[in-house]
Amino acid sequence: MNTVDIVVPCFNEAEGLELFLLETLKVTETLQKYSFRFIFVNDGSKDNTLAVMTDLAKRFPRISYLSFSRNFGKEAAMYAGLQASTADYVIIMDADLQHPPELIPKMAASLEAGHDCCAAMRTSRKGESRIRSLFSRSFYHISNRLTNVSLAYGAVDYRMMTRQMVDAILKLCEIERFSKGIFAWVGFDTDWIPYENVERTIGTSKWSFHSLSRYAIDGITSFSVVPLRMLSVVGAVISLTAFVYILITLAQTLIYGIDVPGYASTLCAVLFLGGVIELSIGIVGEYISHIYMETKHRPIYLLKECRMNTSDSITTGETVSKETTSEESSSDARDCSAVSAFGEDSSH
């Protein structure tokens, strides 16, 4: 029997977490060829998400959870879940039911057919504002033009992967993570399943416009140096234009004599060049900030508490065969250690 770990990043999902579990179990219980385990990752939630996870882990022996010491972001939560997984296949999905559990059988069939990954792709953005949809389309277009990885429009993090692909992803241990780009960069054969966007029924989105913009910039600068090369081209064009202008000015001076300079044109030139310089510094600063963050070698996340259950069934009331928390000593360092950016135990 093949094993499947379902990694679920959670941030303030207390209200709908149990509903998500019950709806997903309705689907997984129909797949008798697979043994499923849920790995919830509490990303520093401010509500009762951790308490709900604790209760669910006591009631369902095949439910495990990791809890961060603070909010490290969804990217870190996905990485932690992948690192804690040990199954033959791994699924990543959100807890808000915007990733339909009904797609899991199709994903499993796709991997059985020989694909390394089966990912979901939205065919519509129903429920989103037009401005947000416009910026999303623009991001995919710009990213695919500037980077060496191709992102499918509408691609989401919801996917099922083989152990081989998961292990490849875990080898990319940068701090500033952009998983959509990482999924594409590692390659492997990906099968896409289109689906209609599902509006969130419980809770609200945790992504603001500012955080999405920041995420988009990180995604482009993480996989492309084209902006830096564009600065070189802009600098060369401006230098060439300035050189030609100097020659014209010298010629006019020799032929017609010294003329009174135009203050308006001088001011425009200064402001234009000042804007180009500030923009250039900002772009270079983005890359320097990535270097700065990576060279500090900080952990991608830190665990405050975790509980890894490993019994073979999902039946309410059964005894948990293995349970570990941060307050208890455990020999299973893979499951319950605070893991550094390189996948090593933080105590090393």
Side-chain angles (χ1 to χ4, degrees):
M1 178 179 292
N2 289 322
T3 56
V4 182
D5 283 338
I6 301 179
V7 174
V8 187
C10 301
F11 179 68
N12 295 340
E13 300 288 355
E15 187 178 1
L17 195 57
E18 183 168 358
L19 176 62
F20 159 80
L21 175 63
L22 296 177
E23 291 298 317
T24 306
L25 284 177
K26 291 179 183 178
V27 176
T28 58
E29 287 175 351
T30 64
L31 301 174
Q32 301 298 323
K33 295 170 56 178
Y34 299 90
S35 173
F36 288 87
R37 176 177 66 160
F38 290 81
I39 302 177
F40 294 115
V41 184
N42 177 37
D43 184 24
S45 299
K46 302 301 182 182
D47 62 0
N48 293 323
T49 297
L50 179 57
V52 174
M53 287 182 181
T54 303
D55 177 64
L56 292 175
K58 291 178 180 178
R59 291 162 50 194
F60 299 89
R62 290 292 291 177
I63 293 180
S64 304
Y65 68 81
L66 310 173
S67 183
F68 290 171
S69 60
R70 65 169 177 84
N71 177 247
F72 284 90
K74 182 183 178 182
E75 294 290 324
M78 288 193 292
Y79 183 84
L82 293 178
Q83 205 166 35
S85 68
T86 57
D88 302 316
Y89 303 111
V90 180
I91 296 174
I92 299 176
M93 61 190 304
D94 291 346
D96 54 13
L97 289 176
Q98 287 191 291
H99 292 166
E102 293 77 18
L103 295 183
I104 293 178
K106 295 181 180 179
M107 291 182 173
S110 176
L111 266 62
E112 286 184 358
H115 297 289
D116 300 300
C117 173
C118 184
M121 178 175 59
R122 288 185 294 188
T123 56
S124 70
R125 306 189 74 89
K126 181 176 62 176
E128 288 188 359
S129 65
R130 292 184 177 180
I131 295 296
R132 184 165 175 172
S133 296
L134 174 63
F135 274 95
S136 178
R137 288 194 297 270
S138 300
F139 163 72
Y140 281 99
H141 178 72
I142 295 173
S143 177
N144 287 336
R145 292 290 298 272
L146 296 183
T147 67
N148 59 354
V149 295
S150 178
L151 302 181
Y153 177 71
V156 295
D157 295 323
Y158 185 24
R159 62 193 61 222
M160 185 174 183
M161 299 172 286
T162 62
R163 182 78 251 163
Q164 183 184 22
M165 182 171 177
V166 171
D167 290 340
I169 291 170
L170 291 176
K171 291 180 180 179
L172 304 180
C173 49
E174 57 256 39
I175 304 298
E176 301 286 337
R177 302 186 67 79
F178 180 66
S179 289
K180 287 185 178 67
I182 291 175
F183 294 147
W185 188 90
V186 297
F188 294 95
D189 180 21
T190 299
D191 183 28
W192 295 96
I193 296 181
Y195 78 101
E196 292 287 333
N197 188 49
V198 179
E199 294 188 49
R200 190 180 182 120
T201 57
I202 298 177
T204 58
S205 174
K206 312 305 185 299
W207 289 90
S208 64
F209 182 79
H210 176 266
S211 60
L212 287 172
S213 300
R214 178 73 258 177
Y215 187 63
I217 293 173
D218 287 342
I220 292 174
T221 54
S222 293
F223 288 90
S224 175
V225 294
V226 171
L228 292 176
R229 292 173 180 168
M230 289 174 61
L231 290 183
S232 299
V233 174
V234 171
V237 170
I238 292 177
S239 298
L240 179 61
T241 304
F243 180 73
V244 172
Y245 182 73
I246 290 173
L247 294 178
I248 294 174
T249 302
L250 288 174
Q252 289 178 336
T253 301
L254 293 174
I255 296 173
Y256 302 108
I258 300 176
D259 193 10
V260 177
Y263 293 103
S265 60
T266 302
L267 181 61
C268 289
V270 170
L271 291 176
F272 172 73
L273 292 176
V276 171
I277 291 171
E278 290 296 325
L279 176 63
S280 302
I281 293 174
I283 293 176
V284 173
E286 284 292 328
Y287 287 92
I288 293 176
S289 68
H290 282 292
I291 297 172
Y292 172 69
M293 294 301 296
E294 298 297 334
T295 54
K296 289 192 290 186
H297 300 301
R298 288 180 177 174
I300 296 176
Y301 63 89
L302 293 173
L303 291 181
K304 181 179 180 180
E305 179 181 345
C306 90
R307 173 177 179 148
M308 303 303 295
N309 298 339
T310 57
S311 71
D312 296 328
S313 60
I314 304 181
T315 305
T316 304
E318 288 189 7
T319 303
V320 177
S321 64
K322 180 178 179 181
E323 175 181 331
T324 55
T325 65
S326 59
E327 290 82 9
E328 300 171 345
S329 61
S330 171
S331 61
D332 193 348
R334 176 181 176 83
D335 288 339
C336 292
S337 296
V339 182
S340 74
F342 298 99
E344 300 171 349
D345 194 301
S346 61
S347 62
H348 291 176

